[in-house]
Amino acid sequence: DRDTQLSIGVWTSYIFSIDDLCEGPEFREQLKGYRAHLLGANQPKWAYLRGLFSSLQDLCDRFDPFVGDMILKSTLDYISVNVFEVEQKGRLNVDFNTRLFPEFLRQKSGIGEAYAFANFPKGSLDVASYITLIPDLAAVVPQLNDVVSFYKESIIGDEQDTNLMLVSAVEGCSATEALNMTVDRCLDSVQRMRAACLKNEGLRNVVNAFVQGFALYHLKWSRYHMEDFGDYRDWLSESH
């Protein structure tokens, strides 16, 4: 419903702002104290933190308890890992023997689980009908983001601490090969989900709407410079 979409939008505004604002040391120091506020040790005096938790509570209240808990958990991972990634930039040593680490870190920074569960507010589908699709639905979020971000981060820019660069290091391959691996994994997840819900039209519609909407969102946002490759609407017409 429209109110839930607006709630997701407000929460998303806070989530996305953290990614950029964490570059500032003063912001990070204030954000580090969020756990004490969350556990009730003291009330947040910082308006930003009050707004963040207010939007999070409003969002989680629109879902069944388990689903709301998973959105909360994923959000907390995201907050903490944003601080971690900035403060540990350039200090992480990875190789083949730590090849599980990029996925571990990306699951937290990608906040895919929260967005996966956000497709199923109270009164929609029964959790048993979609819970087995959550791993793939959650995986698509950071995978698709990594694919679309590659041009901005590694062609226009020269960022060395991206997930694809970590994958490149642990797999002993080039960044382009890591990109292709991520494309394949993303497409595999989409294909598995569509196959899994062939007999459930309602679930299939939710999955397709989310995947298509999430892709379109990235294509339309100038942040990713996809316009350098032409109008995405021409790509869509060529695929038919």
Side-chain angles (χ1 to χ4, degrees), residues 29-79:
E29 286 306 311
Q30 292 196 74
L31 195 60
K32 286 178 183 179
Y34 84 84
R35 185 174 66 245
H37 305 318
L38 185 68
L39 297 178
N42 51 61
Q43 292 299 312
K45 297 179 181 179
W46 189 24
Y48 181 92
L49 202 57
R50 291 199 304 270
L52 171 61
F53 285 142
S54 175
S55 70
L56 182 56
Q57 181 174 1
D58 178 74
L59 178 63
C60 291
D61 284 348
R62 298 175 184 277
F63 296 82
D64 290 328
F66 172 76
V67 178
D69 290 347
M70 297 302 100
I71 293 174
L72 170 64
K73 173 181 71 69
S74 183
T75 302
L76 300 186
D77 274 348
Y78 178 83
I79 295 172

Side-chain angles (χ1 to χ4, degrees), residues 106-119:
R106 197 64 178 109
Q107 285 179 357
K108 298 181 183 302
S109 66
I111 201 170
E113 193 171 339
Y115 279 103
F117 276 110
N119 287 283

Side-chain angles (χ1 to χ4, degrees), residues 86-150:
V86 172
E87 295 189 340
Q88 302 302 320
K89 185 177 293 184
R91 302 186 66 232
L92 302 178
N93 297 313
V94 296
D95 58 25
F96 180 80
N97 297 306
T98 57
R99 61 199 311 243
L100 296 182
F101 178 75
E103 180 65 20
F104 164 82
L105 190 67
R106 197 64 178 109
Q107 285 179 357
K108 298 181 183 302
S109 66
I111 201 170
E113 193 171 339
Y115 279 103
F117 276 110
N119 287 283
F120 306 102
K122 287 179 181 176
S124 57
L125 298 173
D126 182 84
V127 66
S129 70
Y130 66 78
I131 189 67
T132 55
L133 272 64
I134 291 295
D136 278 307
L137 200 56
V140 163
V141 174
Q143 288 168 355
L144 196 154
N145 180 263
D146 285 344
V147 170
V148 178
S149 297
F150 182 78

Side-chain angles (χ1 to χ4, degrees), residues 128-193:
S129 70
Y130 66 78
I131 189 67
T132 55
L133 272 64
I134 291 295
D136 278 307
L137 200 56
V140 163
V141 174
Q143 288 168 355
L144 196 154
N145 180 263
D146 285 344
V147 170
V148 178
S149 297
F150 182 78
Y151 179 66
K152 170 180 71 74
E153 295 172 344
S154 300
I155 304 299
I156 295 177
D158 187 29
E159 298 183 34
Q160 298 299 312
D161 289 317
T162 67
N163 181 62
L164 289 184
M165 295 304 288
L166 290 176
V167 171
S168 171
V170 301
E171 296 294 342
C173 64
S174 69
T176 303
E177 289 172 324
L179 172 66
N180 290 331
M181 290 168 56
T182 304
V183 169
D184 290 341
R185 292 176 61 197
C186 186
L187 291 175
D188 284 347
S189 286
V190 173
Q191 290 168 358
R192 281 195 298 268
M193 287 189 293

